[in-house]
Amino acid sequence: MKKTKQYRTRTAGKIPGDDFFSRVYDLVRLIPPGRVTSYGAIAAYLGSGRSARMVGWALNASHSQPGFIPAHRVVNRKGMLTGKHHFGNSTTMQQLLQNEGLIVEDDLVINFRERFWDPMKELDNF
DNA sequence: AACTTGACGGTCA
DNA sequence: ATGACCGCCAAGT
């Protein structure tokens, strides 16, 4: 494994396919409509010493990625729509989720537990 | 080059 | 159960 220095900055987001960001996008695209997951779950699934913050950072750049990335299906561990402000309008994320059958009340996904999509369980290998 | 901020999460008080 | 703190790592200032 060559190790390069721990985590080279590599100007994230500029090297598709080789960086953590692309893996996040890939995984997020697998989230079925009407289901949600958390930043931490994604980070845990990808492992690689990345923290949930990095997942958030990746999604932050997801708007400039090609193709549709259902970033609205990713919420924090409490089921709160912490990234709603990044969807243009503060209500867009909530609208998208409600449109998929989720119950959102005061930026919180009420049925978060039952709608939670855990990549660790759903995708199992890795 | 150093400090602060951030789409987070686990632990401790 | 709620709130503060600390660790993570990249990017902006």
Side-chain angles (χ1 to χ4, degrees):
Chain A
M1 35 191 53
K2 128 167 150 297
K3 71 93 328 32
T4 71
K5 351 194 68 247
Q6 39 178 49
Y7 305 115
R8 59 201 150 105
T9 355
R10 80 177 81 165
T11 40
K14 301 220 169 143
I15 311 175
D18 183 50
D19 73 301
F20 173 73
F21 291 63
S22 295
R23 273 175 246 174
V24 173
Y25 303 146
D26 233 24
L27 185 51
V28 173
R29 273 190 265 255
L30 296 178
I31 305 173
R35 306 295 294 282
V36 292
T37 192
S38 68
Y39 305 94
I42 294 173
Y45 181 76
L46 296 179
S48 318
R50 255 54 172 241
S51 61
R53 278 184 190 273
M54 295 303 93
V55 176
W57 216 253
L59 290 182
N60 182 38
S62 68
H63 67 83
S64 46
Q65 283 302 124
F68 174 64
I69 299 177
H72 60 282
R73 296 177 192 145
V74 184
V75 296
N76 75 358
R77 81 139 188 112
K78 310 169 209 160
M80 289 173 41
L81 285 51
T82 52
K84 65 168 187 174
H85 212 322
H86 289 261
F87 286 79
N89 229 324
S90 298
T91 56
T92 306
M93 187 175 186
Q94 180 171 334
Q95 285 299 309
L96 289 170
L97 291 173
Q98 289 179 157
N99 200 14
E100 296 182 356
L102 287 154
I103 301 172
V104 181
E105 190 175 292
D106 195 36
D107 299 335
L108 178 68
V109 178
I110 302 303
N111 46 349
F112 177 63
R113 267 299 292 265
E114 51 187 275
R115 294 295 193 160
F116 184 68
W117 185 81
D118 186 355
M120 284 292 219
K121 292 185 173 183
E122 303 294 338
L123 303 179
D124 194 28
N125 47 22
F126 217 68

